[in-house]
Amino acid sequence: MQKVGIVLISHSFKVTEGIKDILNQVVTDVPIELAGGTEDHEIGTSIEKILQAIEKVYSEKGVILFYDLGSAKMNAEMAIELSGKDRIQIADNIPLLEGAYAAAVESGIGKDIDTIIKNLKENF
């Protein structure tokens, strides 16, 4: 069964790695990709890394993008436009770790993207 994919966007690659480690403790069948740091693993974000992560986890179920800081959100928005895909949503104003954790659990039990986003907005 396909699951809603998750992309973790942070200015730090290490932050995304750590969060993915935590998420993998509770779910193993949810597609999760990292878009942390620049291509050289420096501090910053990369539209190209976000696009690549979206491609890896994209399915008809959709993808939720979680981010840490405002410029990461801007790059996420640009990546969505450049991807030409629908069913991609940004978890706006949702904590990166806690939101991704909740979304991963809900995706793991088969909830759809609209329900997950609705629950995130209600609970965070």
Side-chain angles (χ1 to χ4, degrees), residues 1-5 57-63 85-88 112-113:
M1 172 193 331
Q2 290 183 338
K3 310 284 183 171
V4 173
V57 299
Y58 190 82
S59 74
E60 65 188 36
K61 297 288 276 186
V63 177
K85 299 182 181 309
D86 58 355
R87 310 274 313 139
I88 302 172
D112 63 80
I113 191 169

Side-chain angles (χ1 to χ4, degrees), residues 43-55:
I43 298 297
T45 58
S46 162
I47 294 170
E48 186 60 35
K49 285 182 86 169
I50 298 168
L51 280 167
Q52 290 172 2
I54 289 170
E55 284 296 323

Side-chain angles (χ1 to χ4, degrees), residues 14-25:
K14 291 178 182 179
V15 166
T16 60
E17 277 187 316
I19 293 172
K20 186 174 181 180
D21 286 345
I22 291 169
L23 300 183
N24 284 336
Q25 294 295 310

